[in-house]
Amino acid sequence: MVSDIKQVPESVAGEAGTAKGDAAPEVSGTAGVEDPTPATSANPEPPESSPEQSPRQVRNLSWFVTRGRIWTRRALILVLRVSRLVSTGIRHIRPGLRFLWRSLLRRWRRSLEFRTVLTTLLLAVTSFAIVGAYLSNQIANNLFQERLAQAESESRYNVKQVQDTFDGAQVTDQSSVITLVYDTLTAVEGRGSVIQRRYVFEAKPEQTKPRNRWVESRASDQLTVRVIPPELRKAVQEGGKQQFWASTQFPVGNEDRPGIAVGNLVTFNGTAYELYLIYDLNSAQQTLNEIQNVLWAGGAALVLMIGAIAWYVTRNVVSPVSHAAVVSEKLAAGQLQERMVVKGEDEVARLGASFNHMAASLQEQITQLATLSQMQQRFVSDVSHELRTPLTTVRMAAEVLFDARDEFDPMNKRSAELLYHQVERFQSLLSDLLEISRFDAGAAVLDAEPQDILQVISHVIDGAAPVAEEYGSEVRLSARQKSIVVEMDSRRIDRILRNLLLNALEHGEGRPIHISVAANHDAVAVSVRDHGIGMSQAEAARVFDRFWRADPARARTTGGSGLGLSIAAEDTKLHNGWLQAWGRKGSGSNFRLTLPLRQGGTIVKSPLLLEPADFEFPGSPSERHMLVLGTGSAGSPVQPGPDTGRRPQTGDGTGEAP
């Protein structure tokens, strides 16, 4: 009786089984009887050659050596040429791959549609790969288990039939034994149109009982005992009547097929034999391959369909957003008539309608503001021009009264002096208003020519000397070079520097004023530093506004109009330069003017620091205040937050501080 089947673990050592299997002589499937005659070699060893070889043999040996060297050299040349071609191809392909990778990264960053579709495809491929691998593994396991159960059942039945046949056999001669074994094993093999079961019949090695030497080994289809795993042989030899199985491969023609080997021990005439039934799993493997092909083909088709669906859906959602972005950019560029195309009644359509309504409202408001601004500018310009004639008459009369003030009584004398000074201030204000109106109307023209900026600075210092003497402030000039030629409008630069210097004298509280000048290869910078009351964050944010004063209740002693820094900012924009201000309450302020050396040039870095080098910063960076003035898209000052003093704005809104 055969016991329950047991699987042979693959980790069991097979040295003993291999040794035992190799000890027994092997006989092919057609030779059932051991050949008693000793085997002779089909290729006997050639006799030893004589020490003396013929000249012909020497010539043949020399020819082979020569040809071998030639072919070796040719092979080396071929290898070198192939390696050069490969290296050249890699050098040419690498830039293309790098360009492709950068293009994909740029598209990934800038395209929401591309990013969404690619992410969907990657997730779909990953999901289908996991599900496909799981299904394939389950199908393969089920097919194997089904075939294994069938093999176990058939093996028990066939081994029992073989053992019963051997037990009831009444044969004693060699031919009868061979015939009985051959017929019994042939019946077990079950030949048909397709052979699905094969056998290997091998005498158990190292038996102590007398052995029947008439039948040593047999196998079907020229199989040998080597197709049986050594672990399985060892388990069968040591397991008695138990049945064992193991996965194996066996050759069929020119291919190796997967199979299941089921092993048992049978006895015949007192000799123990190992009987292995090998079941072909090639049909199951083909079925599994077809199922896997269907799964992968279906998965690829589904991935493509999912990608197409994701692209269609994403395009329908992203296209209106992209269109809105394009329209927004055009609106920001001043094309206020641009609108979105609205289709349907869904959420995207409502978004487009709301966007168009917002754009129409903005256009109307911007148009109204532009009209109002033009009216205000025209009003200021017209009033300024109309006031020039009567103001000239009033000034002439004020001058006459001022010159004759010594003949008046004290009250009339004081009145004449006040009238003269206020008329002079009124004329200065009127001139500033006319200049501002020219900037607003776009009529300001830059008359640039090469000139030494140090001469302009010296002229400004000389002109402000009476004011400096009145305040008791010393003006100090520090220049790194003796002459710096700049293409500039000297009249406008003189006005900028005069405004900065007078502003520093007024707020310097009698302390020294430092003017620093430096230049690099593309720009020149002039800084005006005072050590007076300084500026707070709110004051620094409005320092270039028109008619603005830090303390409205404080009377002006220099007679300014409140438009000096605004006009200076406009003059700086005409030069494509930077005008920047830094300040800290109680520690003074610093104004820096940076101009390109050549007209139309750009500024990369200012030669001077905006934050003074002589100032220690005890507070946190958030307590430092500065205003950066640039030429933005709307022509208005750019006002950064705290601690932004090291990034000035250039004419296009970008810049770099030292």
Side-chain angles (χ1 to χ4, degrees):
M1 182 179 69
V2 181
S3 62
D4 294 336
I5 190 167
K6 294 184 180 178
Q7 179 183 4
V8 178
E10 297 181 358
S11 61
V12 178
E15 290 80 0
T18 305
K20 295 179 181 180
D22 295 339
E26 298 179 1
V27 181
S28 64
T30 56
V33 182
E34 184 182 19
D35 189 1
T37 61
T40 59
S41 175
N43 297 320
E45 296 182 358
E48 296 181 357
S49 58
S50 60
E52 296 181 358
Q53 298 180 352
S54 63
R56 183 175 182 179
Q57 291 177 343
V58 173
R59 287 196 301 270
N60 290 340
L61 180 61
S62 176
W63 183 84
F64 279 116
V65 171
T66 304
R67 298 303 296 178
R69 292 177 178 175
I70 294 174
W71 284 107
T72 302
R73 189 180 298 108
R74 290 179 179 178
L76 291 175
I77 294 173
L78 181 61
V79 169
L80 289 176
R81 290 179 178 178
V82 170
S83 62
R84 290 177 181 176
L85 289 176
V86 171
S87 61
T88 304
I90 292 175
R91 285 197 303 268
H92 286 81
I93 291 175
R94 187 178 300 171
L97 294 177
R98 189 182 298 111
F99 175 77
L100 179 61
W101 176 251
R102 292 178 179 175
S103 301
L104 290 176
L105 289 180
R106 189 183 306 109
R107 189 71 182 274
W108 175 271
R109 292 193 305 268
R110 298 184 178 181
S111 176
L112 177 62
E113 179 181 356
F114 177 78
R115 188 162 60 247
T116 303
V117 173
L118 185 59
T119 303
T120 304
L121 287 176
L122 291 177
L123 292 177
V125 169
T126 303
S127 301
F128 280 120
I130 295 174
V131 174
Y134 174 76
L135 291 177
S136 177
N137 183 63
Q138 291 297 318
I139 293 172
N141 187 51
N142 291 336
L143 288 175
F144 182 80
Q145 293 297 331
E146 180 182 0
R147 190 57 177 158
L148 177 60
Q150 181 182 0
E152 292 174 358
S153 176
E154 292 181 1
S155 296
R156 290 192 184 95
Y157 176 78
N158 286 286
V159 169
K160 186 176 182 302
Q161 293 292 329
V162 170
Q163 188 61 56
D164 292 343
T165 302
F166 286 167
D167 291 341
Q170 301 292 331
V171 290
T172 56
D173 59 297
Q174 179 181 2
S175 60
S176 299
V177 169
I178 294 174
T179 301
L180 176 64
V181 172
Y182 178 77
D183 293 341
T184 303
L185 296 178
T186 302
V188 170
E189 186 180 34
R191 292 183 179 275
S193 58
V194 179
I195 301 177
Q196 296 185 352
R197 183 171 60 226
R198 293 167 176 80
Y199 69 87
V200 172
F201 188 72
E202 181 75 17
K204 181 179 177 181
E206 301 179 2
Q207 299 186 51
T208 57
K209 296 182 179 181
R211 298 173 59 187
N212 186 355
R213 304 302 297 173
W214 293 340
V215 179
E216 186 67 29
S217 63
R218 293 191 64 87
S220 57
D221 293 339
Q222 298 182 354
L223 296 179
T224 63
V225 76
R226 294 182 179 179
V227 301
I228 307 301
E231 297 84 358
L232 178 59
R233 292 201 61 190
K234 182 178 180 181
V236 171
Q237 294 169 5
E238 298 176 355
K241 294 299 183 178
Q242 293 181 347
Q243 182 171 278
F244 300 90
W245 69 272
S247 299
T248 186
Q249 287 185 346
F250 59 94
V252 176
N254 295 327
E255 63 175 349
D256 290 337
R257 293 185 178 181
I260 300 176
V262 182
N264 292 270
L265 280 179
V266 296
T267 57
F268 182 46
N269 290 339
T271 303
Y273 291 90
E274 304 171 23
L275 177 59
Y276 300 97
L277 298 181
I278 303 174
Y279 293 86
D280 192 354
L281 299 181
N282 188 54
S283 59
Q285 183 64 41
Q286 292 178 354
T287 302
L288 179 61
N289 293 337
E290 293 177 359
I291 293 175
Q292 289 178 345
N293 293 334
V294 172
L295 286 175
W296 293 121
L302 285 176
V303 168
L304 294 178
M305 292 176 61
I306 290 175
I309 293 172
W311 174 80
Y312 178 76
V313 174
T314 307
R315 184 176 180 82
N316 289 337
V317 176
V318 174
S319 295
V321 179
S322 301
H323 182 53
V326 174
V327 174
S328 300
E329 293 175 355
K330 292 182 178 179
L331 289 174
Q335 303 178 17
L336 302 179
Q337 73 281 359
E338 289 292 330
R339 297 293 184 272
M340 288 184 61
V341 178
V342 180
K343 296 180 180 179
E345 300 178 357
D346 54 4
E347 292 81 0
V348 177
R350 292 199 299 271
L351 175 63
S354 302
F355 184 89
N356 291 338
H357 179 70
M358 178 188 68
S361 178
L362 289 176
Q363 182 181 11
E364 182 180 358
Q365 295 179 11
I366 292 174
T367 303
Q368 292 178 356
L369 291 175
T371 303
L372 180 60
S373 177
Q374 291 177 0
M375 292 177 60
Q376 292 176 345
Q377 293 173 10
R378 190 179 301 111
F379 174 78
V380 172
S381 179
D382 294 343
V383 170
S384 301
H385 282 84
E386 292 297 330
L387 287 177
R388 293 185 67 180
T389 300
L391 181 60
T392 303
T393 304
V394 172
R395 182 179 181 183
M396 293 174 61
E399 289 179 354
V400 172
L401 294 175
F402 183 77
D403 292 339
R405 67 184 184 278
D406 294 335
E407 301 176 1
F408 299 155
D409 57 82
M411 183 176 296
N412 291 331
K413 180 180 179 181
R414 179 58 179 168
S415 299
E417 293 176 351
L418 290 175
L419 177 62
Y420 176 80
H421 290 299
Q422 293 302 320
V423 169
E424 187 178 32
R425 181 181 177 187
F426 186 30
Q427 188 175 16
S428 176
L429 174 61
L430 185 60
S431 300
D432 290 341
L433 287 174
L434 288 173
E435 189 67 25
I436 285 292
S437 65
R438 293 191 190 97
F439 284 119
D440 293 338
V445 179
L446 190 67
D447 186 14
E449 60 181 7
Q451 191 169 355
D452 189 358
I453 195 172
L454 293 178
Q455 295 181 0
V456 177
I457 297 173
S458 299
H459 180 266
V460 170
I461 295 175
D462 293 340
V467 180
E469 184 178 356
E470 179 182 355
Y471 280 104
S473 297
E474 179 184 1
V475 180
R476 301 173 183 175
L477 175 62
S478 174
R480 302 179 183 177
Q481 301 175 8
K482 295 183 179 181
S483 176
I484 303 175
V485 179
V486 184
E487 294 182 6
M488 61 182 178
D489 189 337
S490 59
R491 181 180 63 87
R492 298 183 183 275
I493 299 302
D494 183 279
R495 182 166 57 190
I496 295 173
L497 296 176
R498 185 175 68 253
N499 282 319
L500 296 180
L501 181 55
L502 292 178
N503 183 73
L505 290 172
E506 182 179 359
H507 299 89
E509 297 183 340
R511 297 171 184 172
I513 306 299
H514 297 274
I515 300 177
S516 301
V517 186
N520 54 22
H521 62 281
D522 60 358
V524 61
V526 181
S527 66
V528 180
R529 168 81 162 98
D530 68 78
H531 301 80
I533 60 177
M535 293 182 292
S536 65
Q537 181 177 6
E539 294 169 351
R542 302 190 58 189
V543 70
F544 292 103
D545 291 351
R546 298 178 182 180
F547 301 105
W548 180 85
R549 283 187 285 177
D551 186 4
R554 180 172 54 84
R556 282 189 170 270
T557 57
T558 57
S561 62
L563 295 174
L565 291 179
S566 300
I567 295 174
E570 297 294 341
D571 287 333
T572 304
K573 294 176 186 177
L574 287 178
H575 286 82
N576 195 25
W578 299 345
L579 182 57
Q580 302 157 278
W582 167 90
R584 181 177 173 84
K585 202 69 175 177
S587 301
S589 60
N590 185 41
F591 287 80
R592 183 180 67 180
L593 173 66
T594 307
L595 300 173
L597 293 178
R598 289 165 293 278
Q599 183 64 26
T602 58
I603 303 172
V604 178
K605 183 178 181 180
S606 180
L608 292 176
L609 293 174
L610 181 60
E611 296 180 351
D614 61 338
F615 180 71
E616 299 295 335
F617 299 96
S620 62
S622 62
E623 298 177 357
R624 307 174 192 172
H625 311 301
M626 183 206 66
L627 176 67
V628 178
L629 181 72
T631 54
S633 58
S636 60
V638 182
Q639 300 175 357
D643 197 28
T644 58
R646 295 192 178 272
R647 189 170 297 278
Q649 298 291 328
T650 62
D652 57 354
T654 60
E656 178 183 353

